[in-house]
Amino acid sequence: MKRQSLQFSEPHKQAILEGAKVQSRRILKPQPTKFTTAWYADAADSGRWVAMGPSPDNPSELRRTSSWVRCPYGKSGETIMLADEAGEPFATAVVVGVRIQRLQNLTESDARAEGTQALYQSSALLPGVPLQTAFALMWCERYGSHAWAANPWVWVVEYRHSSPYENLESQ
């Protein structure tokens, strides 16, 4: 599977280059069609994930609710390309973690790792708003007014900016 680059708007690009954004959420496609409560990584291949949910016969038992899926952005230890909105690479990063979670399970530290504080620190638009709320507003700006309420399953990709794109060709 060819890995997709992670694309970012200009403010997010700057937050990455300043080290303030080290985590990104992307909607998992396709979303599971059956009731799902958790996702598990394959012990033999951390790049593969399967959804699990309660069994109709015995709700205390979990059963598969999806086929195996792979994160299109890579897995821990891999190098990924970071690109701007036009698809032009601006840096590489090393993936340090991947997980699947519900969008609304975002924590305060997740919102900070998403660069939310850096993006709104100097803004008079949202003074005193909790970081999760500021992130939810940004999410709706990008994906539509009901995108936060839909609470989709998302890929959470944690990364560390490693080098500007220009240095790749000389390595």
Side-chain angles (χ1 to χ4, degrees):
M1 171 187 229
K2 185 177 191 274
R3 278 179 283 151
Q4 294 179 19
S5 63
L6 284 169
Q7 289 185 299
F8 299 96
S9 65
E10 188 60 31
H12 285 124
K13 174 183 168 181
Q14 290 309 313
I16 289 167
L17 295 173
E18 293 165 5
K21 181 170 176 58
V22 295
Q23 195 177 92
S24 279
R25 281 163 175 67
R26 298 293 192 270
I27 298 172
L28 182 139
K29 295 177 185 175
Q31 293 283 299
T33 55
K34 297 179 181 169
F35 182 66
T36 297
T37 56
W39 285 83
Y40 294 97
D42 185 344
D45 178 357
S46 65
R48 289 182 1 136
W49 294 77
V50 68
M52 304 291 282
S55 169
D57 303 330
N58 183 356
S60 63
E61 280 184 26
L62 290 179
R63 64 175 172 82
R64 278 179 43 167
T65 59
S66 76
S67 55
W68 289 96
V69 296
R70 288 192 177 276
C71 179
Y73 309 104
K75 60 184 179 179
S76 291
E78 292 183 338
T79 300
I80 59 171
M81 191 67 58
L82 307 180
D84 62 20
E85 287 179 298
E88 292 296 320
F90 66 85
T92 60
V94 174
V95 176
V96 295
V98 174
R99 67 183 185 273
I100 299 173
Q101 71 178 49
R102 285 286 194 184
L103 177 62
Q104 293 179 11
N105 288 351
L106 176 94
T107 66
E108 177 95 4
S109 65
D110 286 332
R112 187 171 285 107
E114 282 274 1
T116 306
Q117 185 170 5
L119 294 172
Y120 283 101
Q121 191 169 16
S122 61
S123 172
L125 180 64
L126 299 168
V129 170
L131 289 180
Q132 292 101 319
T133 303
F135 179 86
L137 291 170
M138 287 188 333
W139 187 268
C140 289
E141 285 174 12
R142 179 176 178 156
Y143 293 105
S145 60
H146 299 288
W148 178 262
N151 197 23
W153 290 100
V154 293
W155 290 108
V156 180
V157 181
E158 297 178 64
Y159 48 86
R160 297 297 174 261
H161 167 243
S162 58
S163 66
Y165 180 69
E166 299 81 53
N167 293 344
L168 291 179
E169 294 174 5
S170 62
Q171 293 179 358

